[in-house]
Amino acid sequence: MNAVVYKGEREVAVEEVEEPQIEHPNDVVIDITTTCICGSDLHMYEGRTAAEPGIVFGHENMGIVEEVGEAVSSLEVGDRVVAPFNVACGFCENCENGYTGFCTNVNPGFAGGAYGYVAMGPYQGGQAEKLRIPYADFNALKLPDGREHEDSFALLADIFPTGWHGTELANLEAGDSVAIYGAGPVGLMAAYSAKLKGAAEIYVVDRVPSRLALAEEHCDATPINFEEGDPVEQIKEIHGGGVDKGVNAVGYQAIDPDKEADAAYDPARENPAVVINNLIRTVRPTGELGIPGLYVPDDPGAPDEMAAQGRLGIDFGLLFEKGQALGTGQCNVKEYNRQLRDMIIEGRADPSWAVSHRVGLDDAPEMYEKFDNREEGVTKVLLEP
């Protein structure tokens, strides 16, 4: 079968790889109908991880069940399913407590597993024609038959639940004001989640005009371009003080507007602590911060030695002084995906507006380059094998 294979820094290719097989009685194999390129994939694509050439990318996957292991009891051939990016067993202590992003059984020596991602276990990615889903009764979420809501359902694998998770980490409630840093796919979904939850005011900070326009149009958000001035001061000038809650949907490759470089996305402009520190300044005393944006313990392309070890210069004194609370960690997709699916089915939510491109698998190398360059109009790319 064909799959998107990592070749080296900023290079992927569509190559023939072995088809997945049933390896355990509770496995299923699905025929992929939609798989997505994620911002997290760019960390590997850019050579900012320990990913080795040959890995098949793709942790946001949905499709039709093609083969069923003999122990599977809730799925059958022909079922349409979406798989959380988390691979989880369902019976370890963390899984039983709902922390499926931190399963202790699927990836020995590490809390958490995922498809097609470095250090997240031996699970081949789904930017391919087929995918094996382990512990399928637990991991595969059934969808209505047909092709309806295909784009929206594809976003249930990661970005819609992860955006929702960012607002949960911040304990966002109806009537709250919130500042969301980052208008990539997760940031847009965090803003959309805030709207769905009844936030009174939503501010979205980024530098890409087309993404800020999406946040304004679909999330009723106030766009804040950090290249046009200190985003904290811009928000406070409009809001009249600190907001109630904040979400960091950027992570460790954050751009520092105070740094200059030859190119807009030159790594020399990076400051992995800048968004966290801006959130501390943006959110009012005793407010709460949600940090679903990715941070890593090792970064070979970091701007300085401390950041290379995952250590950040965070303004903890100010955080303490303001009595703020924060939550971090990757999304436990299963905690949210069923209710978000049902909201889509009932017409209460439709996140498909965030999708900018649906292309064939062969177009993946070109779309990785465009997404990595943060080109105007490129927000969420779906691949159709």
Side-chain angles (χ1 to χ4, degrees), residues 40-202:
S40 296
D41 291 325
L42 295 184
H43 301 307
M44 295 185 291
Y45 176 75
E46 295 172 353
R48 298 292 291 271
T49 71
E52 296 288 340
I55 184 174
V56 175
F57 285 169
H59 58 268
E60 301 181 30
N61 310 301
M62 66 179 292
I64 307 298
V65 175
E66 181 182 80
E67 189 176 357
V68 179
E70 61 182 17
V72 175
S73 61
S74 63
L75 301 168
E76 57 186 36
V77 172
D79 282 344
R80 183 189 188 200
V81 300
V82 61
F85 78 86
N86 319 115
V87 178
C89 72
F91 53 81
C92 71
E93 183 176 4
N94 280 347
C95 283
E96 286 186 343
N97 288 328
Y99 299 112
T100 55
F102 303 88
C103 176
T104 55
N105 281 332
V106 296
N107 188 10
F110 191 89
Y115 303 97
Y117 209 87
V118 60
M120 298 299 282
Y123 307 102
Q124 183 168 281
Q127 288 175 15
E129 296 179 63
K130 301 179 189 296
L131 176 74
R132 177 179 75 94
I133 301 178
Y135 302 102
D137 282 315
F138 185 69
N139 287 314
L141 178 68
K142 288 181 67 171
L143 303 169
D145 294 338
R147 293 282 296 185
E148 189 177 11
H149 306 305
E150 182 80 8
D151 288 1
S152 288
F153 286 151
L155 304 187
L156 290 174
D158 185 350
I159 67 164
F160 192 13
T162 296
W164 191 276
H165 182 59
T167 65
E168 288 287 302
L169 289 171
N171 288 320
L172 179 73
E173 297 179 348
D176 281 344
S177 55
V178 61
I180 296 161
Y181 279 74
V186 169
L188 290 173
M189 288 297 98
Y192 188 50
S193 298
K195 176 184 176 180
L196 292 172
K197 288 183 172 188
E201 296 175 68
I202 304 168

Side-chain angles (χ1 to χ4, degrees), residues 285-308:
T286 72
E288 297 174 82
L289 322 179
I291 307 177
L294 179 66
Y295 288 85
V296 294
D298 299 288
D299 176 12
D304 57 64
E305 184 176 346
M306 189 170 79

